[in-house]
Amino acid sequence: MASAAPSTETDDEPTEETALETARRQLERAAEHLDVDPGVIERLRHPNQVHRVSVPLERDDGSTAVYTGYRAQHDSVRGPYKGGLRFHPDVTEDECIGLSMWMTWKCAVMDIPFGGGKGGIVVNPKDLSTDEKERLTRRFAEELRPFIGPTKDIPAPDMGTDAQTMAWFMDAYSMQEGETQAGVVTGKPPVVGGSKGRDTAPGRSVAIIAREAIDYHGWDIEDTTVAVQGFGSVGAPAARLLDDYGATVVAVSDVNGAIYDPDGLDTHDVPTHEEEPEAVMKYDAPQKLSNEELLELDVDVLIPAAIGNVLTAENANDVQASLIVEGANGPTTSAAGEVFEQRDIPVVPDILANAGGVTVSYFEWLQDLNHRSWSLERVHDELESEMLSAWDAVREQVEENDVTWRDAAYMVALKRVAAAHEHRGLWP
Ligand code: NAD
């Protein structure tokens, strides 16, 4: 007999998969197609280490608050751990573990010699003054200092943290080590060892991958229409570069809604999130739409580049795009992914498309270790070449196994990580 007890979860309201569940499911899916030692898969289901620290902070009013911080380190078989640090009230240990696994695959699909890490502090940064954020960041750096370092684990900015946070983190770490160690974090301001081109790199990689996918499907980019959800660090450079490549970007959006011009928008004229936050709707365009309507526009390419879980079982059948390139992390739920597979709509996954960010972080780390900065032109050239290599590897996997682009990307990544494990072995 059905219970009358109130419940927030019912059978017809599917519960959202956690980041860890998604990461494990994707690992198992990729493993099904490959001949990989089950012992290696079992090892990859678990993080190598998870560090949990208490971070005490003296508030501006003189009181003391204690926050919880995490650093999950999934796998380092191919090199030091790499991944963001977020300051967000919803940070959990499991989320850090799941996201650290994603970073392992993202680095491996790009063939970057890093493993996956992710961490953060359970805090709403909007509740802190700038001075409080600085003290919290410096103390977090000190609590994590035994576990991180330029050859061990290299954090980066994520939700609620930015280039300034990374500069404080690097400074605190370096002061305790007795020497400047710029390579301990990436995403720093260029004056303290950051890389040129880091800010726009995830959007640039989305555009490069979209361009390759357009070409792969035999379309002429000059005749291709594109809609981009989100006009921030990822969406804006992606839209502008595709515009420069010759595509017609008919719609872009921010949190308030979308602008639409069937003849194409002048994307360089629409203010990005950084230039003027949430100003897309102020732009004079023939039509204003909702974000939901943007996702269902009849375009060739749809680029969700704002937030996760926007393509769901509810709207997947209404999507009219012929190709989806994921700019945001996790914009497609697994249920929507199944619908797109049945409908033959290719979805090029986040771990490939937006991996320009971690790739230029790798360039930043190389520049720091070598004490030599690269020109913007060199960053762009090397990013282009890394993205094309990764695209080719994933395309070959798609062609060889007739699998989805997502499965192919995970297969490429898993093959590389598993081969490294098999060569290094399990000791003792
Ligand atoms: P951002 O804050 O710079 O921009 C986000 C954009 O999305 C803004 O235009 C904002 O108005 C819009 N937006 C916010 N909420 C929305 C909603 N509910 N509906 C529609 N639009 C909304 O963020 P970003 O750095 O561009 O990140 C976007 C996504 O890309 C996230 O999923 C992020 O995890 C992922 N990502 C970012 C990077 C990076 O280095 N910045 C790298 C890889 C992946």
Side-chain angles (χ1 to χ4, degrees), residues 86 106 157-159 198-199 202-203 229-236 253-257 272-274 277-278 280 291-292 304-308 310 327-331 350 354-358:
R86 46 177 66 172
K106 195 179 266 198
D158 205 292
M159 282 161 68
R198 170 66 182 81
D199 297 357
Q229 185 187 45
F231 208 60
S233 316
V234 179
S253 75
D254 67 13
V255 67
N256 299 316
T272 68
H273 187 64
E274 201 184 64
E278 326 302 12
V280 167
N291 266 291
E292 291 71 28
I307 52 165
V310 292
N329 285 325
D350 45 10
N354 70 27
V358 72

Side-chain angles (χ1 to χ4, degrees), residues 57 59-60 67 89 123-130 132-133:
L57 169 73
R59 302 292 309 257
D60 289 342
Y67 298 92
V123 63
N124 186 349
K126 290 186 187 140
D127 295 343
L128 302 178
S129 68
T130 303
E132 288 172 333
K133 255 187 282 187

Side-chain angles (χ1 to χ4, degrees), residues 9-267:
E9 293 169 5
T10 64
D11 284 343
D12 38 22
E13 277 175 3
T15 55
E16 229 172 72
E17 210 175 36
T18 67
L20 182 55
E21 285 165 348
T22 308
R24 288 202 169 130
R25 184 176 48 75
Q26 280 165 343
L27 167 65
E28 276 147 23
R29 236 182 113 118
E32 277 171 22
H33 296 281
L34 297 171
D35 182 20
V36 176
D37 176 356
V40 169
I41 302 297
E42 185 54 23
R43 287 177 72 184
L44 290 170
R45 286 174 50 77
H46 305 276
N48 286 354
Q49 284 130 27
V50 185
H51 305 285
R52 181 196 152 130
V53 295
S54 294
V55 193
L57 169 73
E58 185 182 337
R59 302 292 309 257
D60 289 342
D61 65 6
S63 65
T64 301
V66 178
Y67 298 92
T68 302
Y70 298 100
R71 184 68 180 171
Q73 299 174 325
H74 174 243
D75 185 83
S76 64
V77 74
R78 289 168 45 86
Y81 305 102
K82 183 89 194 79
L85 287 180
R86 46 177 66 172
F87 289 179
H88 195 276
D90 298 337
V91 166
T92 64
E93 183 172 332
D94 270 6
E95 183 192 61
C96 291
I97 297 170
L99 296 176
S100 73
M101 288 175 78
W102 280 11
M103 285 307 296
T104 300
W105 314 131
K106 195 179 266 198
C107 294
V109 81
M110 290 308 302
D111 213 1
I112 292 172
F114 288 140
K118 193 68 124 194
I121 300 182
V122 190
V123 63
N124 186 349
K126 290 186 187 140
D127 295 343
L128 302 178
S129 68
T130 303
D131 286 350
E132 288 172 333
K133 255 187 282 187
E134 176 174 350
R135 289 197 291 277
L136 187 73
T137 304
R138 288 181 181 278
R139 183 61 186 243
F140 191 35
E142 178 56 14
E143 297 298 336
L144 290 185
R145 195 160 61 89
F147 321 118
I148 59 168
T151 57
K152 283 197 228 168
D153 183 353
I154 306 129
D158 205 292
M159 282 161 68
T161 57
D162 57 16
Q164 178 60 69
T165 323
M166 293 302 111
W168 291 326
F169 196 101
M170 183 276 272
D171 185 68
Y173 180 88
S174 297
M175 287 183 77
Q176 294 295 77
E177 292 289 307
E179 58 182 37
T180 296
Q181 294 264 6
V184 66
V185 286
T186 60
K188 302 178 294 296
V191 284
V192 288
S195 178
K196 296 186 182 77
R198 170 66 182 81
D199 297 357
T200 53
R204 178 165 279 270
S205 68
V206 169
I208 294 169
I209 292 296
R211 185 197 68 205
E212 292 306 303
I214 288 165
D215 187 51
Y216 178 79
H217 287 93
W219 309 332
D220 183 348
I221 196 155
E222 301 278 345
D223 301 328
T224 303
T225 54
V226 181
V228 181
Q229 185 187 45
F231 208 60
S233 316
V234 179
R240 287 177 173 178
L241 199 53
L242 281 164
D243 195 354
D244 295 346
Y245 289 154
T248 306
V249 179
V250 295
V252 302
S253 75
D254 67 13
V255 67
N256 299 316
I259 50 174
Y260 176 58
D261 184 344
D263 294 328
L265 295 160
D266 179 356
T267 55

Side-chain angles (χ1 to χ4, degrees), residues 87 89 101 116 123 125 172 215 263 281 293 297 321 333 336 352 357 382 416:
F87 289 179
M101 288 175 78
V123 63
D215 187 51
D263 294 328
M281 291 297 269
E293 287 168 322
L297 279 175
T333 66
L352 171 64
E382 300 242 4
R416 290 176 177 160

Side-chain angles (χ1 to χ4, degrees), residues 287-332:
Q287 259 180 280
K288 306 271 156 99
L289 306 173
S290 67
N291 266 291
E292 291 71 28
E293 287 168 322
L294 176 143
L295 296 173
E296 296 170 12
L297 279 175
D298 185 4
V299 287
D300 298 310
V301 185
L302 173 64
I303 302 182
I307 52 165
N309 296 325
V310 292
L311 297 171
T312 64
E314 278 71 53
N315 63 6
N317 275 309
D318 299 320
V319 167
Q320 297 185 68
S322 308
L323 167 71
I324 297 166
V325 179
E326 293 186 333
N329 285 325
T332 314

